[in-house]
């Protein structure tokens, strides 16, 4: 095929010298990309000239066959421009697109002519230009299809397809704007000029411009990366969803040391990201940048467009970013952003200019929870990073130091699985064994979390200090004051307590301080509580962030609260909310030089009784109180009370041996001091009676109760006198003296009613219910248990409410009201679990086992008896274990599993023999005889 005669240069010259709308000559490379002048008049003449030149360029390039992109693109633009009069639907919207397409065409002709004149082949084009041409061809192909669809649409389709078509028009309008931005920056022309100059000088063209500079900004793949797979997958999904039309804008947020930078590097070195962006992956550290100007310079350096001795130019940065598709990570972006308002605004404006570019995927990492303004962040946004899970923490340690053991386990738990802290500890353990590190941690805590340098990745305390020294924190004195307060409170501040703390900390703007601390990730909102992370709390306490005035106010508040009468409803709710903070404050006071020793001991005794009533049976606070009492030489009665309370805690937890030891220690101290034959002595005897009773030492229990009752009558202590009658009632009931038991319990009820003690009245009614049940007075029993439940609810005693439901369940079994029985036992189990009482849970499962056995639901019965056996074992209750084994024996008998039945009953018999329970030993022996007899019949058959 022969070409027609054509003056290409003349056509180009005609375009280059066409007057603009302002009648002023302008270079074709500076066309306004936002131009949307309607097509018509002088513009139509310009487009006609462009069409002529495109036709010529298409034909010449096709003949040359060396630059494959030139001919197809010229043809597509030409075809699209010719369709401008055929588009009847959405003509106005397409008009603006056609104007931009004409502008693209005019610039493209210039590029094509330069390629033709200098006889360039495809592999000689700069990679950036090849990428632009390839992308332009793909976009124009899509636009050509959209134009054809608009030209063909008729009738009702015009309405039905309107939304979709207008979306596509807008999409191509945006894409053409992007192309014009590229050309307007003269990037492609300057690259071609550089290439031609290199040819003339005989130099070799590099396929990757600025290779050295780019390599410096390439991220390194993290070698140790655990626990962030979910976040990584989410970010990769966000990047590759609508990447062509809506590049991702992602902020990785969170506290210092939580692995934000590591996650960002994992993103940039991900296989899909590398394949998509190649070397156009830029990592810009912002840690030492504190203004938009400095950020601009760092950007220019990373992109390879910074000229020494001159200011960084946005036009050069812009040109580099739009040359080809790239991904840009701004690490530690809080440094330039978290400044005074003017600087912050300018930094946000610069970020906004970058995120406006459709060729750039943007990733930032920032301390805190707030994203910069003026940027449309990709939805759904990534949640701020939290600490790692246990398995990930363990993997990090094992990867760094292959010596993971029990001490390492305690260490990673102590630092709450913060990635940086685990990493530093694991490195330290390469030299210092984990066991010694644990001892150091207990003494120095966050001080050991460093590797000798003041760097955010090498020193946890330095990393925390960076957050505390941030611009927002410096601007908010209340935030720093509040951080000091929160550092003393492991449970933080409950949202319901904000009003109370505003009364305590009058000078502190609490809402504003909380807002700033949340922004800076120095605290979190956990449920309904504002809390600091344990590592930050340790650091702040060590640095003494708490002002003496606030510290004194807090101590007074918690001393008063711990001393409150917890059975009063108005005190109870607040004490529950503040229980962990109160306990921590009391520990702190015991270790300090608190002046009023006696007041502190009395307060901790009172508080120990409260926390045991809600299921906290740990003895660490009362044991430390007893040591404090001995060391400070407080009055002997206070030390006796400590020992008694200590024994009571062991009693509740089922550790009867320790309970007896501590209570006897209290009694011995009474006998050798002024406490002898006092109400305090009587109370200890009462407690010993309860312990003997659980141990089934009934004669010792009765003797203790009677001696205590004698003392209580002498001193007129109505409450404990009632308690003694209650204890004797239990002894009589267990001994089968039901009438005596009923009389004692009714007397106890009278005394407890006189002193208005709701808890004791509940206990009396509950035991009366069991007594009536033993007398087969089931209606009276039901009424008594319900009365007990009312009093125990008034007293806010969860444990006893569980006991009441258990009694109701047993009563309903006798009454054959099985649904009500099952509900009552399940309710009892729920309450006993809430207060963590193994003995109570064992009783509940035992009751459920008996119920299911009665209902012939043998699988459920077996499971319940087995659970009862386990819980009675945990509670060190041998008698309960015997009952559970007896129940299992009955289940196996009903199934005719005689060998298993015999084995269970023999175990039960041995237990009843050991605890000297002759009644149950005899009952169990009868069942055992039945099983042996049944086995004999089976063998004869």
């Amino acid at each position: 095929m022969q070409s027609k005669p054509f003056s290409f240069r003349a056509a180009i010259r005609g375009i280059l010298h066409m007057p603009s709308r302002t009648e002023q000559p302008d270079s074709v490379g500076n066309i306004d990309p936002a131009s949307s002048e309607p097509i018509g008049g002088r513009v139509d003449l310009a487009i006609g000239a462009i069409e002529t030149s495109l036709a010529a360029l298409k034909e010449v390039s096709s003949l040359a066959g060396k630059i494959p992109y030139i001919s197809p693109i010229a043809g597509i633009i030409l075809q699209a421009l010719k369709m401008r009069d055929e588009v009847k639907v959405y003509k106005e919207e397409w008009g603006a697109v056609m104007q931009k397409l004409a502008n693209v065409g005019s610039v493209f002709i210039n590029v094509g002519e330069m390629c033709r004149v200098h006889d360039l082949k495809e592999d000689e084009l700069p990679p950036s230009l090849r990428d632009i041409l390839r992308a332009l061809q793909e976009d124009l192909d899509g636009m050509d299809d959209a134009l054809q669809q608009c030209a063909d649409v008729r009738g009702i389709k015009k309405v039905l397809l309107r939304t979709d078509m207008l979306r596509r028009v807008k999409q191509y309008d945006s894409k053409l704007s992007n192309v014009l931005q590229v050309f307007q920056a003269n990037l492609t022309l300057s690259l071609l000029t550089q290439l031609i100059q290199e040819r003339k000088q005989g130099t070799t063209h590099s396929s990757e411009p600025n290779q050295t500079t780019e390599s410096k900004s390439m991220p390194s793949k993290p070698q140790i990366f655990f626990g962030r797979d979910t976040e990584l997958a989410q970010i990769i999904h966000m990047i590759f969803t609508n990447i062509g039309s809506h590049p991702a804008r992602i902020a990785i947020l969170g506290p210092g040391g939580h692995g934000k930078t590591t996650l960002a590097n994992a993103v940039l070195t991900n296989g899909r990201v590398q394949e998509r962006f190649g070397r156009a992956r830029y990592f810009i550290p912002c840690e030492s940048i504190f203004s938009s100007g400095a950020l601009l310079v760092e950007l220019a350096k990373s992109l390879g467009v910074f000229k020494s001795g001159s200011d960084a130019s946005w036009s050069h940065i812009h040109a580099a970013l739009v040359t080809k598709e790239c991904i840009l990570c701004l690490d530690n972006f809080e440094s330039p952003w978290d400044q005074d308002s003017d600087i912050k605004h300018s930094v946000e404006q610069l970020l906004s200019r970058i995120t406006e570019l459709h060729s750039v995927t943007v990733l930032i990492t920032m301390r805190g929870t707030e994203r910069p303004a003026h940027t449309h962040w990709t939805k759904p946004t990534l949640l701020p990073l939290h600490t790692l899970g246990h398995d990930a923490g363990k993997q990090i340690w094992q990867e760094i130091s292959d010596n993971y053991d029990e001490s390492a386990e305690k260490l990673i738990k102590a630092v709450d699985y913060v990635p940086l802290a685990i990493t530093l500890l694991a490195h330290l353990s390469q030299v210092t064994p984990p066991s010694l590190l644990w001892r150091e941690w207990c003494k120095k805590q966050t001080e050991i979390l460093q590797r000798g340098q003041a760097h955010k990745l090498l020193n946890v305390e330095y990393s925390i200090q960076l957050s505390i020294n941030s611009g927002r924190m410096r601007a908010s004195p209340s935030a720093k004051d509040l951080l000091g307060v929160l550092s003393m409170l492991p449970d933080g501040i409950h949202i319901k307590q904000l009003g109370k703390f505003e009364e305590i900390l009058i000078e502190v703007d609490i809402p504003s301080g909380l807002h700033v601390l949340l922004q800076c990730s120095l605290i979190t909102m956990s449920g309904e509580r504002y809390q600091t992370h344990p590592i930050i709390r340790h650091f702040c306490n060590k640095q003494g962030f708490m002002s003496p005035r606030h510290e004194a106010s807090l101590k007074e508040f918690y001393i008063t609260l711990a001393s409150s009468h917890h059975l009063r409803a108005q005190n109870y709710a607040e004490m529950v909310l503040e229980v962990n903070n109160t306990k921590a404050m009391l520990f702190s006071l015991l270790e300090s030089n608190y002046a009023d020793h006696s007041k502190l001991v009395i307060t901790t005794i009172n508080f120990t009784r409260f926390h045991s009533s809600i299921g906290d049976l740990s003895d660490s606070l009362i044991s430390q109180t007893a040591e404090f009492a001995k060391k400070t030489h407080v009055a002997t009665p206070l030390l006796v009370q400590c020992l008694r309370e200590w024994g009571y805690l062991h009693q509740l937890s089922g550790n009867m041996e320790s309970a007896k030891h501590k209570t006897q220690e209290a009694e011995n101290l009474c006998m050798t001091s002024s406490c002898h034959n006092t109400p305090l002595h009587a109370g200890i005897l009462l407690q010993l009676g309860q312990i003997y009773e659980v141990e089934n030492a009934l004669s010792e229990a009765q003797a203790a109760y009677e001696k205590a009752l004698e003392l209580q009558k002498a001193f007129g202590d109505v409450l404990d006198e009632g308690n003694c009658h209650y204890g004797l009632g239990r002894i009589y009931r267990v001994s089968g003296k039901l009438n005596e038991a009923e009389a004692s319990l009714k007397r106890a009820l009278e005394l407890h009613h006189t002193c208005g003690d709701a808890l004791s009245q509940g206990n009396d009614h509950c035991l009366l219910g069991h007594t009536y049940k033993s007398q087969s007075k089931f209606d009276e029993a039901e009424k008594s248990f319900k009365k007990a439940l009312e009093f125990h609810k008034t007293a806010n005693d969860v444990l006893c409410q569980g006991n009441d439901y258990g009694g109701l369940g047993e009563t309903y079994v006798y009454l054959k009201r099985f649904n009500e029985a099952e509900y009552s036992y399940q309710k009892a189990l729920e309450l006993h679990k809430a207060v963590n009482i193994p003995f109570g849970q064992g009783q509940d499962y035992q009751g459920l086992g008996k119920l299911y056995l009665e209902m012939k639901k043998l699988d459920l019965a077996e499971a319940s008896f087995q659970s009862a056996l386990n819980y009675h074992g945990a509670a060190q209750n041998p008698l309960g274990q015997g009952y559970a084994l007896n129940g299992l024996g009955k289940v196996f008998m009903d199934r005719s599993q005689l060998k298993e039945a015999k084995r269970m009953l023999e175990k039960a018999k041995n237990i009843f023999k050991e605890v000297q329970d002759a009644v149950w030993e005899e009952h169990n022996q009868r069942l055992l005889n039945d099983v042996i007899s049944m086995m004999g019949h089976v063998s004869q058959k």
Side-chain angles (χ1 to χ4, degrees):
M1 178 178 178
Q2 294 181 344
S3 64
K4 299 178 183 179
F6 171 67
S7 175
F8 202 97
R9 292 183 182 278
I12 293 292
R13 192 161 48 247
I15 295 171
L16 292 176
H17 290 91
M18 257 191 298
S20 69
R21 287 173 297 183
T22 57
E23 302 299 329
Q24 295 295 324
D26 195 6
S27 74
V28 72
N30 289 321
I31 297 171
D32 179 9
S35 172
S36 58
E37 182 178 329
I39 299 176
R42 191 162 53 247
V43 177
D44 274 338
L45 292 175
I47 291 179
I50 290 170
E51 288 176 340
T52 302
S53 297
L54 284 169
L57 180 61
K58 178 178 182 299
E59 188 166 352
V60 171
S61 299
S62 178
L63 287 173
K66 295 177 181 179
I67 311 295
Y69 294 116
I70 301 298
S71 179
I73 292 174
I76 296 169
I77 297 176
L78 183 62
Q79 175 65 24
L81 289 174
K82 286 181 177 180
M83 289 182 66
R84 65 187 182 277
D85 293 326
E86 298 178 29
V87 177
K88 306 298 182 186
V89 182
Y90 321 123
K91 187 176 180 68
E92 183 178 348
E93 290 83 358
W94 274 115
V97 179
M98 287 294 187
Q99 178 63 64
K100 289 181 182 176
L101 183 62
N103 293 344
V104 170
S106 65
V107 180
F108 180 75
I109 291 167
N110 199 5
V111 175
E113 169 62 0
M114 293 186 72
C115 291
R116 188 192 68 80
V117 168
H118 294 286
D119 196 26
L120 297 177
K121 298 180 182 179
E122 181 183 3
D123 59 359
E124 293 177 319
L125 291 179
S128 55
L129 182 55
R130 289 204 303 269
D131 292 341
I132 291 170
L133 294 176
R134 184 185 301 111
L136 178 60
Q137 182 176 345
E138 292 174 358
D139 289 342
L140 291 175
D141 280 334
M143 192 179 74
D144 188 48
D145 292 340
L147 275 168
Q148 189 64 53
Q149 190 172 354
C150 282
D152 295 341
V153 71
R154 296 290 187 275
I156 189 65
K157 284 187 177 180
K158 174 180 176 181
V159 178
L160 296 176
L161 297 176
R162 177 175 177 79
T163 301
D164 183 59
M165 290 308 303
L166 287 177
R167 180 185 60 78
R168 295 183 70 182
V169 173
K170 185 177 180 181
Q171 179 182 354
Y172 288 113
D173 181 79
S174 175
K175 287 185 176 183
L176 289 177
S177 293
N178 193 35
V179 171
L180 280 170
Q181 286 176 342
V182 175
F183 285 124
Q184 188 177 11
N186 293 318
L187 179 64
T188 53
L189 300 180
S190 64
L191 285 172
L192 285 169
T193 303
Q194 179 185 357
L195 179 63
I196 293 164
Q197 287 298 113
E198 287 177 353
R199 273 191 169 189
K200 288 179 180 178
Q201 296 169 4
T203 57
T204 304
H205 174 71
S206 168
S207 62
E208 290 288 350
N210 303 320
Q211 188 170 3
T212 303
T213 305
E214 283 189 348
S215 296
K216 288 170 63 178
S217 65
M218 285 291 238
S220 58
K221 186 170 184 176
Q223 298 298 306
I224 299 174
F225 185 75
F226 299 105
R228 298 292 185 209
D229 293 332
T230 300
E231 290 87 351
L232 177 60
Q234 182 182 348
I235 294 172
I236 298 301
H237 175 74
M238 292 165 75
I239 289 174
F240 286 95
T241 300
N242 301 322
I243 190 170
S245 55
H246 302 290
R249 282 83 178 87
I250 303 166
I252 302 176
L253 306 175
H258 277 51
K260 299 180 294 297
T261 300
T262 302
L263 178 57
N265 284 340
V267 171
L268 293 176
T269 55
N270 173 267
R272 288 183 68 191
V273 173
Q274 290 191 70
E275 183 179 353
R276 176 79 186 199
F277 297 101
R279 297 187 67 80
R281 292 170 291 130
Y282 302 101
F283 181 87
I284 294 92
C286 303
E287 184 178 339
S288 301
I289 298 173
F290 305 105
S291 68
S292 58
L295 179 58
L296 206 62
V297 169
E298 197 63 35
L299 271 169
K301 288 180 180 178
S302 297
L303 295 170
V305 296
F306 180 71
K307 295 181 180 179
S308 180
S310 63
D311 293 333
S313 168
W314 166 249
S315 62
H316 292 149
I317 292 171
H318 175 275
L321 289 174
V322 298
T323 300
K324 56 183 175 181
E325 199 175 51
C326 65
I327 183 169
L328 185 70
C329 176
L330 300 166
D331 186 48
N332 283 113
F333 193 70
E334 75 279 352
S335 291
W337 177 80
D338 192 5
Q339 304 294 330
D340 293 339
S341 55
D342 289 344
I343 297 175
K344 176 182 285 190
H345 179 71
S346 65
V347 169
E348 288 181 335
Q349 288 297 317
L350 176 56
L351 179 63
S352 177
R353 295 175 78 177
I354 295 170
T355 56
E356 284 174 355
L357 303 177
H358 287 275
S359 56
V360 185
T361 295
V362 177
L363 187 67
I364 69 169
T365 72
M366 281 184 65
R367 290 172 181 243
T369 57
E370 182 184 3
R371 298 169 190 83
H374 309 303
T375 289
H376 180 71
W377 299 100
T378 302
K379 303 293 190 305
T381 55
L382 189 71
L383 293 174
L385 298 185
H386 293 287
T387 54
L388 299 175
H390 170 270
D391 291 345
K394 181 178 179 180
Q395 285 177 305
I396 290 174
W397 187 294
Q398 289 175 321
E399 188 71 19
I400 295 171
S401 184
D402 192 19
N403 60 359
Y404 192 85
D405 58 14
E406 291 181 5
S407 296
E409 176 86 10
K410 288 192 286 188
L411 282 164
I412 67 170
K413 185 176 180 181
V415 298
D416 197 28
Y417 310 108
V418 171
L420 176 59
I422 295 173
T423 300
L424 292 174
L425 285 170
H427 277 292
L428 291 171
S429 77
Q430 293 175 359
V431 177
T432 305
S435 58
L436 294 182
L437 273 180
W438 173 249
R439 289 174 59 186
E440 264 198 284
W441 166 263
C442 292
K443 293 178 183 177
K444 301 179 181 179
Q445 296 182 324
T446 55
E447 187 179 340
I448 72 169
L449 300 178
Q450 51 92 12
R451 294 174 66 196
Q453 298 183 44
H455 187 278
K456 64 170 185 167
L457 297 181
L458 298 173
N459 189 314
V460 165
E461 291 193 345
Y462 179 78
S463 178
I464 295 171
Q465 194 66 59
L466 285 177
S467 295
I468 293 173
N469 290 342
S470 66
R472 285 166 292 183
M473 286 292 291
R474 291 196 304 271
S476 176
S478 287
K480 192 167 183 179
D481 285 340
L482 199 54
L483 183 61
V485 170
L486 287 166
S487 67
M488 292 191 70
L489 308 178
D491 249 4
I493 300 177
H494 195 282
I495 195 168
K496 292 181 180 178
Q497 290 288 90
L498 289 178
K500 178 71 71 175
F501 277 86
E502 285 176 337
E503 295 174 9
I504 300 169
L505 311 169
I506 301 173
E507 314 88 348
V508 180
D509 184 347
I510 290 181
S512 172
L514 290 173
H515 179 71
V516 172
L517 291 171
L518 286 168
Q519 283 182 319
C520 298
S521 282
L522 286 166
I523 65 171
T524 59
M525 189 71 179
S526 178
E528 293 185 301
R529 292 183 180 274
Y530 297 95
Q531 290 178 285
T532 60
H533 190 276
I535 286 182
I536 295 176
R537 192 166 67 248
H538 291 319
F539 173 75
C540 292
N541 283 331
K542 175 190 166 189
Q543 297 295 321
F545 273 40
M546 170 74 80
S547 73
R549 185 175 67 259
H550 293 154
E551 185 175 2
S553 298
L554 276 184
K555 287 178 178 177
E556 185 59 33
F557 167 68
Y558 282 106
I559 281 283
T560 303
L561 184 62
S563 303
S564 301
H565 195 309
H566 68 268
L567 296 182
R568 293 174 184 159
Q570 64 269 29
N571 298 334
Y572 182 81
E574 185 173 24
M575 291 181 77
V576 169
L577 287 177
E578 294 289 348
V579 62
N580 290 328
N581 289 336
T582 307
K583 198 170 186 178
M585 186 63 70
L586 292 175
F587 271 121
S588 175
L589 291 171
L590 289 169
E591 294 170 357
S592 69
N593 56 349
Y594 189 75
D596 195 337
H597 300 155
S598 297
K599 182 179 180 180
L600 182 55
V601 171
I602 293 170
T603 298
T604 55
I605 291 171
N606 184 75
F607 180 73
T608 299
R609 181 57 61 103
F610 162 71
H611 77 63
S612 68
S613 75
I614 61 171
D616 182 353
L617 304 181
S618 60
D619 67 345
S620 53
L621 180 61
I622 195 64
S623 65
Q624 190 164 330
T625 304
E627 291 302 314
F628 176 84
K630 291 176 183 177
K631 184 174 67 175
T632 56
H633 307 291
V634 298
T636 302
L638 289 180
L639 179 56
V640 171
Q641 287 185 57
C642 283
L643 294 170
R644 176 190 177 186
E645 199 64 40
W646 199 348
Y648 182 66
L649 277 179
H650 287 309
Q651 184 180 342
L652 286 178
S653 64
N655 186 352
M656 291 301 155
E657 192 61 37
S658 296
K660 183 165 64 174
H661 173 73
K662 286 299 172 189
T663 310
Q664 285 177 339
E665 188 179 345
E667 187 193 16
N668 292 335
L669 191 55
C670 274
M671 298 292 289
T672 59
S673 70
S674 59
C675 301
H676 181 54
N677 289 335
T678 62
L680 177 58
H681 188 191
I684 292 171
L685 289 170
L686 176 62
Q687 188 165 304
L688 273 173
Q690 294 166 351
I691 295 168
Y692 290 138
E693 186 182 343
V694 173
E695 291 183 330
N696 209 33
L698 300 184
S699 58
E700 290 90 338
Q702 184 171 346
Y705 286 141
E706 288 173 346
K707 187 176 180 181
L709 181 59
E710 184 182 338
L711 287 174
Q712 301 295 359
K713 285 180 178 179
F715 292 106
D717 190 328
V718 177
L719 175 61
D720 272 350
E721 186 181 345
N723 290 339
C724 289
H725 280 292
Y726 173 80
L728 287 169
R730 281 195 308 214
I731 297 293
Y732 292 141
R733 178 180 168 272
V734 172
S735 303
K737 300 176 181 179
L738 299 181
N739 292 332
E740 289 90 334
E742 183 180 351
S744 288
L745 292 171
K746 285 182 176 179
R747 178 57 181 156
L749 192 55
E750 289 174 9
L751 292 165
H752 289 146
H753 176 73
T754 300
C755 61
D757 190 287
L759 177 60
S760 297
Q761 290 178 78
N763 293 341
D764 299 334
H765 277 295
C766 183
L767 193 53
L768 264 173
H770 285 292
T771 304
Y772 288 137
K773 181 166 54 66
S774 299
Q775 294 171 320
S776 299
K777 299 176 182 178
F778 299 118
D779 291 337
E780 288 91 334
E782 181 183 3
K783 290 176 185 176
S784 289
F785 286 129
K786 287 183 175 179
K787 267 289 188 185
L789 191 57
E790 290 176 18
F791 279 110
H792 286 144
K793 284 181 178 179
T794 301
N796 294 306
D797 196 305
V798 178
L799 168 61
C800 289
Q801 290 175 56
N803 296 340
D804 302 333
Y805 275 112
L808 279 170
E810 195 170 354
T811 302
Y812 291 138
V813 170
Y814 283 110
L815 292 170
K816 306 295 183 183
R817 289 155 61 179
F818 295 147
N819 289 338
E820 291 170 274
E822 185 175 24
Y823 170 80
S824 296
Y825 278 130
Q826 293 289 1
K827 192 68 179 174
L829 187 59
E830 175 189 326
L831 292 165
H832 286 143
K833 281 183 178 178
V835 293
N836 190 30
I837 301 296
F839 178 83
Q841 293 174 73
Q843 294 289 87
D844 302 332
Y845 277 117
Q846 183 75 20
L848 281 169
K850 290 166 65 177
L851 169 65
Y852 292 136
L853 190 61
E854 183 79 14
M855 298 171 72
K856 300 301 180 184
K857 295 182 178 181
L858 299 183
D859 289 344
L860 289 174
E862 180 185 357
S864 297
F865 284 130
Q866 186 60 55
S867 295
L869 183 63
N870 295 338
Y871 277 104
H872 283 309
Q876 300 182 35
N877 179 17
L879 196 57
Q881 290 175 286
Y883 296 149
L885 288 165
N886 181 270
L888 284 169
K890 291 178 180 178
V891 170
F892 291 131
M893 284 179 69
D894 279 10
R895 286 186 182 151
S896 297
Q897 294 175 274
L898 301 179
K899 287 184 179 179
E900 289 84 349
K902 181 174 179 288
R903 184 163 59 88
M904 293 296 130
L905 292 171
E906 284 175 343
K907 284 185 177 182
K909 177 187 172 183
N910 291 334
I911 288 176
F912 293 133
K913 187 174 182 179
E914 286 177 12
V915 298
Q916 299 179 359
D917 191 320
V919 174
W920 269 92
E921 184 181 0
E922 183 182 346
H923 169 70
N924 204 78
Q925 184 61 56
R926 285 198 299 269
L927 287 176
L928 194 55
N929 293 339
D930 290 342
V931 169
I932 293 170
S933 175
M934 292 165 67
M935 292 175 73
H937 288 306
V938 171
S939 63
Q940 288 177 5
K941 291 180 180 180

